[in-house]
Amino acid sequence: MIPWELLGTAPIPNSSGKLSLSRRGEEYSIRVDNAELMNSRMHGSEEELARLSCSKIAGRTKAQVLIGGLGMGFTTAAALENLPQSARVTVAELVPGLVEWNRTFLSHLANEPLSDSRVRVCVEDVGDLMKKSRQKFDAILLDVDNGPASLTHPDNAWLYGPAGLATARRALRPGGILAVWSVAPDPIFTKRLQQSGFQVEEVRTCARGKGKGARHTIWLAGI
């Protein structure tokens, strides 16, 4: 078996943890400490997150989309595929090193989405960016950590709590959509979305697409 090759590490701001990027042949893996966060072989559910949410705003030619969490670029690439040229996509990523990897080691995986003129990358917490926005976005896509119940970084819990959901709601334009990715279902989070005033649709989708891999959860929460 081909051994893993460590390509780099990147500190996580405001945390003692760090990300590591490794390659084995054509397969890439990003881990936080010893836990795998993402793998280049499994991105079907991230692409579905973008496809489903962008389909909800298909009639908005100048749509503004916020993506929280860059990952390996698959969510951003899928959003671009499902949005018109007049749309604009803001990607909020807290870890500068991850942005750099997407411009170098990982750029080919999703066909260099950060090179698209519609994309703006903000190296900051997506929650802080939402706090500064009022009715700015037609869709907000959250692919942060492993979802509301499977966090590797406790500070991310705020995003999925009542305050974070209220902040997301204020940042959305009327008729906007909040889409949330999770590694697993979470009935408590579904109820919390409803209590925050969202109309909620829950979708189960496969990690590798085409019915393969583990099943992940996507919430589509409209206002």
Side-chain angles (χ1 to χ4, degrees):
M1 179 178 291
I2 301 173
W4 285 103
E5 173 191 2
L6 180 65
L7 299 178
T9 62
I12 301 174
N14 306 316
S15 168
S16 60
K18 64 179 179 180
L19 298 181
S20 63
L21 172 65
S22 299
R23 176 177 59 200
R24 182 173 63 184
E26 296 302 315
E27 179 183 3
Y28 293 80
S29 174
I30 293 178
R31 295 176 176 270
V32 56
D33 298 324
N34 291 319
E36 186 172 70
L37 279 181
M38 61 201 81
N39 186 292
S40 61
R41 296 173 59 196
M42 296 179 286
H43 50 84
S45 58
E46 286 87 347
E47 292 170 334
E48 195 71 352
L49 172 72
R51 188 190 69 80
L52 290 170
S53 54
C54 290
S55 71
K56 298 287 187 180
I57 58 169
R60 305 188 183 196
T61 56
K62 295 185 179 180
Q64 294 277 348
V65 176
L66 171 63
I67 298 176
L70 175 57
M72 293 183 173
F74 292 110
T75 305
T76 301
L80 294 170
E81 289 179 4
N82 289 276
L83 290 169
Q85 287 297 317
S86 58
R88 293 294 179 266
V89 176
T90 301
V91 180
E93 173 52 56
L94 182 64
V95 182
L98 187 52
V99 177
E100 178 62 22
W101 293 341
N102 270 266
R103 298 191 187 279
T104 54
F105 297 114
L106 306 175
S107 63
H108 66 287
L109 294 178
N111 295 319
E112 302 186 0
L114 300 190
S115 298
D116 194 297
S117 61
R118 292 172 289 174
V119 175
R120 177 174 69 103
V121 178
C122 295
V123 182
E124 64 178 298
D125 188 289
V126 66
D128 292 338
L129 198 154
M130 289 193 301
K131 289 176 184 178
K132 297 184 288 187
S133 306
R134 290 293 184 272
Q135 294 191 356
K136 179 176 180 179
F137 299 106
D138 297 284
I140 297 174
L141 286 59
L142 294 182
D143 185 4
V144 177
D145 214 317
N146 279 321
S150 303
L151 300 172
T152 60
H153 191 355
D155 287 350
N156 290 327
W158 176 87
L159 275 176
Y160 304 109
L165 295 179
T167 299
R169 185 178 171 85
R170 287 192 295 269
L172 286 168
R173 292 172 176 168
I177 187 83
L178 170 66
V180 180
W181 181 95
S182 177
V183 72
D186 185 348
I188 294 175
F189 182 66
T190 301
K191 185 175 181 179
R192 189 180 302 142
L193 282 167
Q194 294 167 337
Q195 292 172 337
S196 298
F198 290 98
Q199 299 295 317
V200 183
E201 176 185 356
E202 186 173 335
V203 178
R204 300 296 304 281
T205 187
C206 294
R208 297 188 184 183
K210 299 181 180 180
K212 297 180 179 180
R215 292 178 67 81
H216 295 157
T217 300
I218 295 170
W219 289 274
L220 301 168
I223 61 173

